[in-house]
Amino acid sequence: MNVPRLPKQFPGRHLVLILIVGVLLAIVGLLDELLMDDLPWINLAWAVPIITAAYLLSPLETVMVGLVAMIICAATVVGGDSDVNLWSSAAVGAFGVLVAIKANFIRRYFRRINLIRDALEESPLAYAEFSFPGYKLANFNQTFTRIANNNCKPGARLCDLISEENSGKMAGKMDEAIATRTRVDSDEFHLPGEEGRSSFWQINFIPVSTQGGGTPRSVALFAYDITDSVIRGRTREAALRISAAVMSSLSLDETLRVVLDNMVFTSGTDAGALLLLEDDQWVGKTGYGQYSDEMIQQLRFPYDDIPVSVAALE
């Protein structure tokens, strides 16, 4: 996720950061001393070390930097010939305090954001955000790469990450989310994988709008892998169908057809065949997909020639 992190603190770095802010204070103080009479508004330069301290140092240290800037500014005003009164130095100190308070709120916000980002990065929940229009990938976590077959990179179009058919379905859901400005769900989104390893995902498509409202500028995608539960549900359903067929008055051929159809339904394959063991031979009975019944019924194999069937029987 492209959210900036606060600078990390480690031994030695903190002293360097303090030194950087100290050098900025010295430079602005010198400029204030030299240019105060000619450029009364040079006091605005004190914002540079104060804002730098707010980013690099803690809020308390930022307050201290603001107070130091106020003291130097006051000394410059008193010792110079400028008509600028002491209110300018007080404004510098007040600015330092306000910046420190604001920096504290910002740091808390980014800590929460970073905590959420770290949780999403290691979560089994897939996350991605696509800019609208065009649906270009803006943010994603590691789990989402499983959906995109490890082909993720910022700026990639949705159609380049997954198949044309599935990207079209996703784009349709995203269009609906944009049009209705509400969350759109897909309970069992099927993603065919390599070597027949398909997966099923529960996906939520959420439009993301700016604070001012208007047309959403992106769509956030949250997906959870439900492959195991879908397969278990299909297995239970197939087992019930097979049991009902076996207990009914169907003929053997009709029963075998029910068995094969439900085995195909459970496995998600597009072709298959069913063989029975008769007199130490595997005899083809029925086929599915590219294998017709006539083709399969001509098959005869010795018992040991099909190790997979032997293992299944044992």
Side-chain angles (χ1 to χ4, degrees):
M1 298 170 63
N2 299 325
V3 179
R5 288 184 180 275
L6 296 173
K8 295 182 178 180
Q9 304 291 332
F10 53 86
R13 178 183 174 90
H14 192 63
L15 293 177
V16 174
L17 300 181
I18 293 177
L19 179 62
I20 292 173
V21 176
V23 170
L24 290 176
L25 283 172
I27 293 174
V28 175
L30 180 60
L31 292 175
D32 198 4
E33 177 70 26
L34 296 176
L35 304 176
M36 184 65 186
D37 294 334
D38 299 326
L39 298 173
W41 298 108
I42 192 67
N43 285 331
L44 294 175
W46 288 109
V48 175
I50 291 174
I51 293 175
T52 303
Y55 179 72
L56 299 179
L57 305 177
S58 68
L60 179 60
E61 291 169 329
T62 303
V63 172
M64 296 175 63
V65 170
L67 294 177
V68 171
M70 182 182 68
I71 293 172
I72 298 175
C73 181
T76 303
V77 170
V78 172
D81 297 329
S82 173
D83 294 332
V84 179
N85 56 41
L86 293 177
W87 285 110
S88 61
S89 61
V92 171
F95 178 74
V97 174
L98 291 176
V99 168
I101 295 174
K102 185 64 175 178
N104 186 42
F105 285 119
I106 292 175
R107 284 175 177 269
R108 289 182 179 179
Y109 169 78
F110 276 108
R111 287 192 187 99
R112 289 195 295 267
I113 291 295
N114 289 331
L115 179 63
I116 294 172
R117 173 173 63 180
D118 292 339
L120 280 176
E121 187 63 31
E122 300 178 2
S123 170
L125 182 73
Y127 164 79
E129 185 175 349
F130 291 88
S131 61
F132 176 82
Y135 297 132
K136 294 181 180 180
L137 185 63
N139 292 311
F140 62 94
N141 68 348
Q142 186 62 35
T143 307
F144 179 76
T145 60
R146 291 174 52 195
I147 294 179
N149 295 321
N150 299 314
N151 193 30
C152 289
K153 58 182 179 180
R157 292 184 178 274
L158 177 62
C159 58
D160 297 329
L161 300 175
I162 57 178
S163 67
E164 181 178 355
E165 179 182 0
N166 284 314
S167 63
K169 293 179 181 178
M170 278 192 180
K173 294 288 186 180
M174 292 182 182
D175 289 341
E176 183 180 350
I178 292 289
T180 61
R181 300 183 186 180
T182 58
R183 190 182 82 178
V184 176
D185 300 333
S186 179
D187 294 332
E188 290 187 11
F189 198 94
H190 179 219
L191 289 173
E194 297 178 355
E195 299 179 0
R197 291 191 296 269
S198 297
S199 59
F200 295 87
W201 297 80
Q202 179 178 323
I203 306 180
N204 308 122
F205 301 92
I206 303 175
V208 181
S209 302
T210 59
Q211 292 183 350
T215 302
R217 306 305 301 172
S218 62
V219 178
L221 177 155
F222 295 88
Y224 190 77
D225 190 347
I226 57 172
T227 303
D228 291 342
S229 62
V230 170
I231 291 177
R232 285 196 299 269
R234 292 191 170 194
T235 302
R236 286 194 297 269
E237 184 179 349
L240 289 174
R241 291 176 180 174
I242 293 173
S243 297
V246 172
M247 299 296 292
S248 69
S249 58
L250 295 176
S251 65
L252 178 60
D253 291 340
E254 293 173 326
T255 302
L256 293 179
R257 169 53 60 186
V258 172
V259 171
L260 180 59
D261 288 347
N262 283 277
M263 290 176 66
V264 169
F265 170 73
T266 302
S267 63
T269 187
D270 56 3
L274 183 64
L275 295 86
L276 292 184
L277 181 63
E278 296 180 359
D279 299 328
D280 294 331
Q281 277 192 329
W282 295 107
V283 179
K285 292 297 182 180
T286 186
Y288 182 87
Q290 62 181 330
Y291 306 117
S292 65
D293 290 348
E294 292 75 13
M295 292 172 56
I296 299 303
Q297 290 171 1
Q298 297 177 8
L299 299 179
R300 299 289 187 276
F301 298 101
Y303 177 78
D304 295 330
D305 281 7
I306 309 181
V308 174
S309 298
V310 174
L313 181 62
E314 294 179 350

